[in-house]
Amino acid sequence: MPDEQRPQRRGGPRPSAVVAAVARIADDDGTRLGRPLEVLDLGGGTGGVAVPLAEAGHRVTVVDPSPDALASLARRAREAGIVDRVTGVQGDGDSLEAILAGRHVDLACCHGTLEFVDDPAATLHAIARALGEGGVLSLLVSGRLSVVFAKAIAGEFGQARAALVDPSGRWGSTDPLPRRFDVEQLEALLTEAGFTDVHVRGTNILGHLVPASLVDSDADRAALAELDELLVTGPGREFLRSLGSALHVVARRG
């Protein structure tokens, strides 16, 4: 899709807990392999994931369609002193094969991007081809059920119903997101693309439901984050993960 026709990306939440989880994956696999990882960040924009990984010593290629985002990434890399470990390339999932030129990566991140691509299945296949055997995918997408609950709580029952029954999980024609995902849908897409050991975790289960006026201090935010963590690790977590405003998936290429 040409840049001028590409929707403005609004659905790419990158909670700090997700960034920390990716950092742990990179550290663990780097230790196992005995070297820094080769990382692909598809749709990585200004480097919210890439910069911390590069600061930890890994080499990151950020592929993004926006030249403005890549310019911001380059500035951040210069300021952090990591220009030798971060490469920004304009492109999308369709151009991964040409960009990597036969190289395989150890870790691929695709955060807040799958909602906007023309063909999610094709993008996941392209990422799978970019990963070496046993490589890890970190995928972050917007969840369908979270917006259903949020709309219902706000009294917007028609929009809640639309989001629930629409194949793309949209609540109406003015919804800024082209699509949202269910856990089962993600698992099927990833399995078909050749990924195994698929784990889905909900993030920000309550944060998008609690009025902002009730969360006005660092203590409030910390308490809400702790409650979210308890929800996704305690009893009922298999159901509650579906209610996250974002779904974080970690899977390995078989």
Side-chain angles (χ1 to χ4, degrees), residues 30-179:
T31 298
R32 178 176 59 84
L33 294 171
R35 58 170 173 79
L37 298 188
E38 293 289 340
V39 182
L40 166 69
D41 190 0
L42 179 60
T46 61
V49 175
V51 169
L53 289 176
E55 288 177 328
H58 305 290
R59 292 182 291 271
V60 188
T61 300
V62 177
V63 178
D64 195 281
S66 168
D68 291 338
L70 292 174
S72 296
L73 168 69
R75 286 195 296 272
R76 289 186 65 182
R78 285 195 302 271
E79 291 168 0
I82 53 172
V83 292
D84 58 327
R85 294 195 294 275
V86 175
T87 302
V89 184
Q90 189 171 1
D92 54 24
D94 294 337
S95 53
L96 288 183
E97 187 173 351
I99 290 169
L100 294 175
R103 283 192 304 123
H104 286 105
V105 299
D106 306 299
L107 169 63
C109 299
C110 182
H111 293 182
T113 297
L114 205 65
E115 297 93 330
F116 296 91
V117 301
D118 293 330
D119 187 339
T123 296
L124 290 175
H125 276 277
I127 293 172
R129 290 192 296 269
L131 281 165
E133 186 174 353
V136 179
L137 167 65
S138 171
L139 176 68
L140 188 68
V141 299
S142 297
R144 176 202 297 266
L145 287 185
S146 65
V147 77
V148 173
F149 274 68
K151 290 295 185 181
I153 289 171
E156 297 170 338
F157 305 120
Q159 291 183 349
R161 183 185 185 281
L164 183 62
V165 301
D166 182 76
S168 297
R170 305 184 75 226
W171 48 256
S173 61
T174 58
D175 190 332
L177 280 187
R179 66 176 65 84

